[in-house]
């Protein structure tokens, strides 16, 4: 101890100050910083050890190395001055030339896998491709946030949805153990979604499949696993094989408020809506949801959504999202069929 002090005092004052700071940063006491000193984190670690047998010491070290991510919290918060919701603005983000062109290429490259998923799970190719296109532009934008840090930030510093994100944090730790991986090595969206299809950790554990048969589920690098997993997710949430998704509707006046208040799950009988002035090419016996897609200073679009429309909202609970997926799917189907006709003529 005396020798170390003697050598240190011989160092110029400015350099000595910097070196002291470095030594302090590397000291055992400093390693207890980060999130590990949060009582709620400690309670969570204890629960993970008790419920799942996870190593508390290892979890303490991991949480000590991360801190709340302010950018994650900022991205989760609604804008201070929220603008008007606009269907056309939202739609333009996903129905663009890039997603359609790349989507057709993705379909062509993975045609056999997509056909296999359709046969096994009953979900059309264009719906699978559209979801992957909306989520990550076919794997090109999977996110660069550290998933452990993002989920921990939201689990312990975002009270509005803390319970949900703590559950997903728990699922991430279990997913990492199942894959013999370090939970700190996962990256994805600011909300914790992972890989090509942007599955939350819990969804990956419940619905993801090893569709390429290599012995492991890899949603980060395997488009084949991503395709099978998206199809299985939809199938497990009630996708109706060969069932309709949505049909446009027209009204002479304003919609009945009760139709809008009925919610996103199909509970309205199409035939009754037709009798009340809704004009649509709808099966009168089927149950539907009444969908209004508003754009400021433009006429509101109305649609009747079937069970399959509702199933798409299980991926993202938004009618804007589900309709974007559906309309992108239609555009992809049309463009893909046209490309196949060109190939057939050339042959």
């Amino acid at each position: 101890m005396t020798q170390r002090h003697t050598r240190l005092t011989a160092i110029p004052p400015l350099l000595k100050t910097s070196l002291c700071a470095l030594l302090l940063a590397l000291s055992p006491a400093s390693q207890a910083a980060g999130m590990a000193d949060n009582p709620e984190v400690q309670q969570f670690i204890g629960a993970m050890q008790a419920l799942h047998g996870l190593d508390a010491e290892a979890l303490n070290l991991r949480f000590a190395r991360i801190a709340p991510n302010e950018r994650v919290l900022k991205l989760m918060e609604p804008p201070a001055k929220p603008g008007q919701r606009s269907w056309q603005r939202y739609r333009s983000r996903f129905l663009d030339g890039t997603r359609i062109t790349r989507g057709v290429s993705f379909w062509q490259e993975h045609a056999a896998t997509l056909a296999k998923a359709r046969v096994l799970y009953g979900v059309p190719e264009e719906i699978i491709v559209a979801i992957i296109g909306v989520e990550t532009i076919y794997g090109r934008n999977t996110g660069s946030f550290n998933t452990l840090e993002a989920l921990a930030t939201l689990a312990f510093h975002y009270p509005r949805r803390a319970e949900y994100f703590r559950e997903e944090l728990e699922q991430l730790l279990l997913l990492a153990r199942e894959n013999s991986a370090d939970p700190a090595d996962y990256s994805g969206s600011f909300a914790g979604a992972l890989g090509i299809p942007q599955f939350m950790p819990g969804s990956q554990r419940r619905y993801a499949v090893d569709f390429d048969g290599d012995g492991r589920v890899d949603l980060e690098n395997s488009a084949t696993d991503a395709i099978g997993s998206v199809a299985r997710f939809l199938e497990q949430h009630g996708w109706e094989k060969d069932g309709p998704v949505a049909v446009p509707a027209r009204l002479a006046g304003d919609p009945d408020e009760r139709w809008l208040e009925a919610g996103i799950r199909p509970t309205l009988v199409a035939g009754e809506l037709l009798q009340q002035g809704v004009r649509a090419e709808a099966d009168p016996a089927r149950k539907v949801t009444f969908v209004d897609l508003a754009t400021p200073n433009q006429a509101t679009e109305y649609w009747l959504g079937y069970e399959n429309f509702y199933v798409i909202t299980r991926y993202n609970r938004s009618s804007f999202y589900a309709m974007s997926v559906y309309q992108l799917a239609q555009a992809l189907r049309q463009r893909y069929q046209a490309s196949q006709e060109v190939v057939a003529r050339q042959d």
Side-chain angles (χ1 to χ4, degrees):
M1 179 66 73
T2 305
Q3 278 187 329
R4 181 182 297 174
H5 177 74
T6 302
R7 285 199 297 268
L8 193 58
T9 54
I11 299 174
L14 183 60
L15 182 57
K16 180 172 70 175
T17 301
S18 300
L19 184 57
C20 286
L22 178 61
L23 289 172
L24 180 60
L26 294 175
S27 69
S30 71
Q31 297 305 305
M35 289 195 188
D37 58 359
N38 183 328
E40 291 185 344
V41 173
Q42 285 299 309
Q43 189 176 35
F44 175 81
I45 290 173
M48 293 304 97
Q49 182 181 42
L51 292 172
H52 306 296
L54 295 178
D55 187 326
E57 184 177 353
L59 288 178
N60 268 296
L61 286 173
R62 288 187 177 92
F63 282 106
R65 292 169 182 155
I66 59 175
N69 187 314
E70 293 300 326
R71 186 161 176 246
V72 166
L73 293 172
K74 185 175 181 180
L75 288 169
M76 285 297 294
E77 286 296 335
K81 295 181 179 180
Q84 289 180 292
R85 294 177 74 244
S86 170
W87 159 238
Q88 288 300 328
R89 183 170 63 242
Y90 185 96
R91 180 184 186 276
S92 67
R93 291 166 51 193
F94 303 110
L95 273 86
D96 59 1
T98 297
R99 277 184 172 82
I100 294 172
T101 300
R102 290 181 175 175
V104 171
S105 297
F106 182 88
W107 191 340
Q108 291 169 337
E109 182 180 356
H110 302 286
T113 301
L114 288 159
K116 176 185 171 184
R118 171 176 46 79
V119 170
L120 188 60
Y121 299 113
V123 182
E125 291 95 330
E126 63 267 26
I127 294 291
I128 301 170
V129 177
I131 284 179
I132 294 174
V134 167
E135 291 294 334
T136 63
I137 317 180
Y138 316 103
R140 287 171 172 80
N141 183 19
T142 59
S144 58
F145 288 86
N146 180 277
T147 306
L148 179 65
E149 181 182 77
L151 288 176
T153 296
L154 296 170
F156 302 109
H157 297 274
Y158 189 65
R160 286 172 56 188
R161 299 187 66 193
E163 183 178 355
Y164 169 75
F165 285 111
R166 287 188 196 188
E167 291 175 359
E168 289 300 335
L169 180 58
E170 175 184 3
Q171 294 296 318
L172 176 69
L173 297 176
L174 296 175
L175 178 66
R177 181 172 68 178
E178 290 165 357
N179 290 306
S180 301
D182 187 332
D185 288 345
Y186 288 87
S187 63
S189 78
F190 67 88
L194 301 167
I196 296 168
Q198 291 291 275
F199 273 19
M200 293 300 287
S203 289
Q204 181 162 335
R205 293 188 69 230
R206 286 188 290 270
Y207 306 113
V209 291
D210 172 22
F211 213 51
D212 59 15
D214 68 352
R216 66 192 187 102
V217 174
D218 181 6
L219 299 186
E220 184 67 32
N221 303 295
S222 173
T224 300
D225 285 358
I227 289 167
S229 298
V230 169
R232 183 169 185 266
F233 177 95
L234 296 175
E235 184 260 348
Q236 289 287 299
H237 281 81
W239 185 269
E240 295 180 351
K241 182 180 179 181
D242 300 324
V245 176
V247 293
R250 290 174 295 159
L251 297 175
D254 294 329
D256 190 317
E257 284 297 319
R258 291 173 297 179
W259 303 345
L260 302 174
E261 293 169 358
I264 195 67
R265 182 148 213 168
T267 57
L268 305 170
V269 179
E272 295 177 3
L273 296 181
L274 299 178
Q275 291 174 1
Q276 295 175 61
V278 175
R279 288 174 287 175
E281 295 183 7
D283 180 346
R286 283 185 175 269
K287 289 186 176 180
V288 296
T289 179
F290 189 85
V291 181
D292 64 321
L293 304 174
T295 301
N297 304 316
Q298 294 186 34
T300 298
E301 280 187 39
Y302 298 115
W303 291 72
L304 301 184
Y306 295 102
E307 185 67 21
N308 284 344
F309 184 85
Y310 171 74
V311 170
I312 296 172
T313 68
R314 300 308 86 194
Y315 215 103
N316 182 314
R317 301 187 180 195
S318 159
S319 58
F320 278 17
Y321 175 89
M323 188 56 69
S324 293
V325 167
Y326 177 56
Q327 292 191 4
L328 177 58
Q330 289 181 307
L332 289 167
R333 166 63 71 179
Q334 184 178 22
R335 185 76 66 85
Y336 178 79
Q337 288 178 335
S339 71
Q340 294 304 102
E341 290 171 4
V342 170
V343 171
R345 285 197 298 269
Q346 290 174 346
D347 291 344

